[in-house]
Amino acid sequence: MNPVVGLDVAKGESQVQAFLDKKKPYKRSFKVAHTVEGLESLHQYLREIENVTGIRPPVVLESDYPIHPWYR
């Protein structure tokens, strides 16, 4: 297995989708609020994937907002 987790980051929440391997989604995608409780649930989800696969999954971020000019 080659697990990976994708986060589509938006203001206030992120959409989460995990894959156990190429073209093999893990469960359904879901939203996570940018709160302590939401981030705790994301952490538990990441631990769950690690327990299922035996591998800590990398997390890939995609943002919906433009990058600040200072970072360009």
Side-chain angles (χ1 to χ4, degrees):
M1 285 191 217
N2 191 20
V4 64
V5 176
L7 293 179
D8 187 356
V9 181
K11 187 175 183 179
E13 66 184 17
S14 294
Q15 187 75 27
V16 181
Q17 178 64 64
F19 293 85
L20 298 182
D21 216 333
K22 193 172 188 177
K23 298 184 181 183
K24 293 185 180 181
Y26 180 67
K27 298 186 177 181
R28 297 179 73 151
S29 68
F30 62 96
K31 291 182 181 180
V32 171
H34 297 167
T35 62
V36 171
E37 294 82 11
L39 295 177
E40 285 175 352
S41 70
L42 176 59
H43 181 250
Q44 290 301 317
Y45 184 70
L46 295 172
R47 299 281 309 257
E48 178 182 329
I49 294 167
E50 185 176 357
N51 288 336
V52 168
T53 65
I55 301 168
R56 183 177 293 170
V59 177
V60 179
L61 305 176
E62 177 188 0
S63 65
D64 287 340
Y65 52 88
I67 296 175
H68 191 279
W70 187 81
Y71 290 106
R72 290 184 189 163

